[in-house]
Amino acid sequence: MRVEDRFERVLGQLDSFVIEIPSWGFANTGTRFGKFLQPGAAGTLEEKFADAAQVHNLTGATPSLALHVLWDLPGGVKDAPKVKQLVSRYGVRAGSINPNLFQDQEYKFGSICNPDAGIRRKAVDHLLDSVEIAKALGSQDVSLWVADGSNYPGAQSIRRRIEWLEEALRTAHDALDEGQRLLIEYKPFEPAFYFTDIADWGMSASLAGAVGPKAFVLVDTGHHYQSQNIEQIVAWLLHLRLLGGFHFNDRRYADDDLTIGSIDPYQVFRIFHEILNERDKNVTDAVAYMIDQSHNIKGKLEAMVQTVATAQELYAKALLVDRERLAELQAAAKTVEAEECLRDAFWTDVRPLLKTWRERRGLPADPLKALRESGYVEKIERERGARNAALTSSYA
Ligand code: RM4
Ligand code: MN
Ligand code: MN
């Protein structure tokens, strides 16, 4: 195929690439040692929606906002009408619903895996409330991160906790409507350090298989050990028809929640490449792309716009891979030529292509520059600055 034709094809395919942004990416978040408070950080759900709308208007690629139940809907399903008003006011959909099983004092020894049946019940009720919220808001996905685990050998029964996990997730799964999904995230450590109850993709996949057909695996790119091959995990999950979606971020060491592609853009490209290799459109269309980042140093809005543009660039590069040729080279075991075929796409500068895509859609050609020129950040800093300055952030 001629280069111009390939570019034209990619321009069309970019239209369907959307990525969900998290409400907490606009709030004051940080590390466990503290937060650097930002004058423009969002403190209310309305401010989070306003900021999300700003990112969507600039990038055209973020039509939905992920919500964290305790942070965004502390009143539970009763808060749904208020969220719906914000959805219609700001033109951004409510995205995945994230239950919160890690904040309450009772969860010191676990939530759905707590040895106390009463606490497990409370946690399961929160899951069921989250499903109700998702239904009320028309959200497809309940995206679950279970922070449970244990810090010391012998302190907890690993086997009992597997049973409690299956029981709780099955209850949540069975409450879902047709078309809704339960996405099961995994994380090898933190906050627990001897084991976490769902430590890796195999455990998530096994749970998904045990609880039912509406359960899938969620891959948070920061939740892996050093140098783990994430694209291979992605390939396996595609093969098993169990890939539900992603929480994208970048990391140097652990769950660093840095902006996507900032440390290792080639890895994100390789992940997209595996997905685009899948021929079954039902499988690829079902993959939910989401961001899960904490912007402690970068400006919240800047970081988010930069993130979305980077995701689009890396996706466009993966779209450029000449897959037919690559398959031929792989079959002939032409190692260097096959690798170069992949690298050709990766090293193509797609920024002019994205500029064309944005111009055709009536979007600013350079969204980061447009953000800076819009005056939006200065405006929210004026409006929110005094409140944010009054907050305290201390580790102990
Ligand atoms: C966790 C995990 C969850 C996210 C929280 C804030 O490490 O990634 O997805 O909701 O952080
Ligand atoms: Mn996550
Ligand atoms: Mn995380």
Side-chain angles (χ1 to χ4, degrees):
M1 199 188 278
R2 289 186 318 144
V3 175
E4 302 80 55
D5 295 338
R6 259 169 69 202
F7 275 27
E8 202 49 51
R9 196 199 60 204
V10 169
L11 281 170
Q13 288 168 319
L14 270 174
D15 287 343
S16 51
F17 180 74
V18 290
I19 192 154
E20 182 165 304
I21 51 178
S23 69
W24 55 99
F26 297 109
N28 273 314
T29 55
T31 72
R32 69 192 174 99
F33 294 102
K35 308 169 184 178
F36 294 111
L37 302 170
Q38 294 192 17
T44 65
L45 188 56
E46 170 142 21
E47 290 172 356
K48 293 169 184 172
F49 265 94
D51 293 355
Q54 188 67 18
V55 174
H56 186 43
N57 292 341
L58 290 166
T59 63
T62 62
S64 64
L65 182 66
L67 301 174
H68 230 290
V69 176
L70 287 194
W71 302 334
D72 299 325
L73 295 101
V77 76
K78 283 200 302 295
D79 289 344
K82 195 179 110 196
V83 177
K84 279 179 159 168
Q85 276 175 11
L86 296 174
V87 167
S88 59
R89 188 169 319 149
Y90 290 100
V92 170
R93 265 189 294 114
S96 60
I97 300 301
N98 293 251
N100 188 314
L101 297 176
F102 51 90
Q103 212 171 272
D104 294 0
Q105 289 299 314
E106 286 107 312
Y107 296 154
K108 182 170 180 179
F109 300 113
S111 61
I112 54 177
C113 303
N114 196 299
D116 180 322
I119 296 174
R120 289 204 300 280
R121 185 70 238 168
K122 174 189 147 119
V124 169
D125 284 345
H126 179 70
L127 291 184
L128 294 173
D129 285 349
S130 304
V131 171
E132 286 316 305
I133 291 170
K135 285 180 190 170
L137 296 177
S139 294
Q140 175 188 257
D141 295 331
V142 172
S143 168
L144 179 64
W145 172 54
V146 177
D148 293 20
S150 180
N151 269 4
Y152 296 101
Q156 282 292 310
S157 160
I158 299 174
R159 292 291 298 274
R160 280 302 280 138
R161 292 169 74 101
I162 296 172
E163 290 162 8
W164 291 327
L165 260 182
E166 288 187 348
E167 211 177 288
L169 297 190
R170 196 171 291 124
T171 306
H173 173 276
D174 292 349
L176 293 167
D177 271 346
E178 213 43 59
Q180 283 191 303
R181 310 186 304 172
L182 180 68
L183 305 184
I184 308 171
E185 195 166 345
Y186 55 90
K187 181 169 175 173
F189 63 88
E190 196 203 27
F193 293 108
Y194 169 53
F195 70 79
T196 50
D197 285 289
I198 312 179
D200 66 25
W201 72 277
M203 299 178 202
S204 285
S206 151
L207 285 166
V211 306
K214 297 172 192 157
F216 295 85
V217 178
L218 185 138
V219 178
D220 183 315
T221 47
H223 294 190
H224 299 89
Y225 286 116
Q226 203 74 303
S227 90
Q228 210 165 344
N229 186 331
I230 301 176
E231 64 268 26
Q232 186 185 24
I233 295 173
V234 168
W236 270 89
L237 290 172
L238 287 163
H239 174 75
L240 296 169
R241 303 288 184 258
L242 281 178
L243 183 62
F246 288 90
H247 272 178
F248 278 117
N249 47 60
D250 212 341
R251 53 77 64 76
R252 182 68 184 83
Y253 298 101
D255 192 21
D256 307 345
D257 283 339
L258 302 177
T259 50
I260 189 172
S262 53
I263 305 286
D264 187 359
Y266 195 33
Q267 176 169 76
V268 185
F269 164 83
R270 297 191 307 259
I271 290 172
F272 284 143
H273 169 63
E274 282 307 323
I275 296 168
L276 292 168
N277 254 339
E278 169 64 49
R279 302 234 168 252
D280 186 342
K281 241 182 95 54
N282 292 325
V283 173
T284 47
D285 286 354
V287 180
Y289 297 118
M290 299 178 270
I291 295 297
D292 182 7
Q293 293 174 175
S294 171
H295 308 134
N296 194 26
I297 302 295
K298 290 179 174 175
K300 315 272 175 203
L301 268 286
E302 270 188 307
M304 204 67 93
V305 169
Q306 189 190 35
T307 291
V308 177
T310 305
Q312 287 179 309
E313 284 162 12
L314 293 167
Y315 191 76
K317 284 172 187 281
L319 284 168
L320 276 175
V321 173
D322 188 340
R323 265 164 253 289
E324 266 166 43
R325 186 171 141 70
L326 185 63
E328 282 164 22
L329 294 168
Q330 289 173 342
K334 304 249 188 211
T335 304
V336 173
E337 281 172 71
E339 187 193 8
E340 286 301 321
C341 177
L342 203 63
R343 281 162 42 90
D344 269 349
F346 181 69
W347 289 109
T348 305
D349 186 359
V350 293
R351 288 171 301 180
L353 192 82
L354 273 153
K355 216 169 144 211
T356 307
W357 180 81
R358 293 187 183 112
E359 275 159 359
R360 286 190 189 176
R361 309 236 323 187
L363 294 163
D366 180 344
L368 211 45
K369 186 161 162 269
L371 172 70
R372 296 209 178 100
E373 288 168 0
S374 70
Y376 182 81
V377 174
E378 289 78 4
K379 175 177 154 290
I380 59 174
E381 287 181 353
R382 273 195 309 275
E383 290 168 0
R384 307 171 187 171
R387 185 198 58 212
N388 280 321
L391 298 173
T392 51
S393 152
S394 86
Y395 173 60

